[in-house]
Amino acid sequence: MEPEFWHERWQHNEIGFHAAEANPLLVAHWSALSLAAGDRVFVPLCGKTLDIGWLLSQGYRVAGAELSEKAVQALFDELGLVPDISEEGALRRYCGPNVEIFVGDIFQLRRSLLGKVQASYDRAALVALPAQMRQRYTGHLREITATAPQLLLCFDYDQRAMEGPPFSVPDDEVARHYADHYHLRKLASVEVAGGLKGQCAARENVWLLV
């Protein structure tokens, strides 16, 4: 999937994937990570998710990565923050109190630039990538976060019934990407009300990776 796909989606405001409130599964299961106030959380492919505002409200520091600068500008607008912006090689960094977002290709983000994080929250990254990119992504995420614990949300549905994104990432694929590096525990599996995009039955699974 080319970057132009996502740039075009944001340019034309085709962002049905953007939720109007913090994800209830995040709110319900975040405590499983046992983080302390002030810990730093990485949110890959974050868009302008309200989950970041929720994490900040709970006393965490947030780092994110996002391809679309328009999305990051909207995020800071909605947070009511005026960012400090700097160039970091191929990336652009937006900074505000307790929040730091790297704009550009996540594969250009290095551990030395990201800095230390105590956890990752992946709600929209793994499911946004086609199968041929997911292996590369999961390896890169482990590298830049030093295999930090992770709360992972992903969909499981019949991929033949609907084209992604979001793509189906069933249990066996989660294990294939992560079982060699983490202990995996499924915290919840809930039916997507009305079907995914109203097109097909799906479940949303919540995984704790430690």
Side-chain angles (χ1 to χ4, degrees), residues 66-129:
E66 170 54 42
L67 182 65
S68 169
E69 190 162 16
K70 181 177 180 180
V72 176
Q73 292 167 344
L75 170 66
F76 276 83
D77 286 346
E78 293 181 8
L79 291 173
L81 300 175
V82 178
D84 291 325
I85 303 172
S86 60
E87 303 294 332
E88 302 289 349
L91 302 174
R92 182 169 289 178
R93 177 160 51 186
Y94 277 60
C95 287
N98 296 320
V99 60
E100 181 177 28
I101 309 296
F102 297 93
V103 180
D105 182 353
I106 192 172
F107 294 108
Q108 297 295 319
L109 181 59
R110 299 290 177 254
R111 188 192 303 186
S112 58
L113 182 57
L114 174 60
K116 187 175 181 179
V117 297
Q118 281 69 49
S120 294
Y121 167 55
D122 183 347
R123 171 190 176 184
L126 188 61
V127 298
L129 299 172

Side-chain angles (χ1 to χ4, degrees), residues 3-208:
E4 288 74 17
F5 172 86
W6 293 108
H7 285 308
E8 186 172 333
R9 294 283 292 273
W10 280 101
Q11 186 65 37
H12 296 287
N13 207 37
E14 295 172 355
I15 52 172
F17 50 86
H18 175 70
E21 60 184 12
N23 190 299
L25 295 174
L26 164 66
V27 175
H29 297 286
W30 183 252
S31 62
L33 283 166
S34 300
L35 298 181
D39 280 349
R40 191 162 178 258
V41 179
F42 180 54
V43 184
L45 308 192
C46 60
K48 60 172 186 174
T49 177
L50 299 181
D51 295 346
I52 288 178
W54 184 85
L55 290 168
L56 292 171
S57 75
Q58 302 302 302
Y60 301 105
R61 296 177 295 136
V62 177
E66 170 54 42
L67 182 65
S68 169
E69 190 162 16
K70 181 177 180 180
V72 176
Q73 292 167 344
L75 170 66
F76 276 83
D77 286 346
E78 293 181 8
L79 291 173
L81 300 175
V82 178
D84 291 325
I85 303 172
S86 60
E87 303 294 332
E88 302 289 349
L91 302 174
R92 182 169 289 178
R93 177 160 51 186
Y94 277 60
C95 287
N98 296 320
V99 60
E100 181 177 28
I101 309 296
F102 297 93
V103 180
D105 182 353
I106 192 172
F107 294 108
Q108 297 295 319
L109 181 59
R110 299 290 177 254
R111 188 192 303 186
S112 58
L113 182 57
L114 174 60
K116 187 175 181 179
V117 297
Q118 281 69 49
S120 294
Y121 167 55
D122 183 347
R123 171 190 176 184
L126 188 61
V127 298
L129 299 172
Q132 64 270 24
M133 292 185 67
R134 293 199 285 266
Q135 186 70 44
R136 180 187 178 199
Y137 161 75
T138 54
H140 183 66
L141 183 63
R142 293 194 314 269
E143 198 286 321
I144 63 176
T145 65
T147 317
Q150 185 177 161
L151 191 71
L152 169 66
L153 276 59
C154 53
F155 295 105
D156 188 356
Y157 66 93
D158 183 353
Q159 190 70 83
R160 297 168 298 180
M162 189 189 80
E163 292 185 0
F167 295 99
S168 178
V169 184
D171 295 0
D172 61 343
E173 183 176 349
V174 174
R176 188 164 68 249
H177 291 310
Y178 286 121
D180 288 344
H181 307 276
Y182 293 91
H183 172 71
L184 308 181
R185 183 163 66 122
K186 186 186 284 187
L187 301 178
S189 180
V190 298
E191 186 175 353
V192 176
L196 192 58
K197 294 186 177 180
Q199 296 183 37
C200 67
R203 301 193 71 82
E204 190 167 14
N205 296 326
V206 184
W207 289 93
L208 175 66

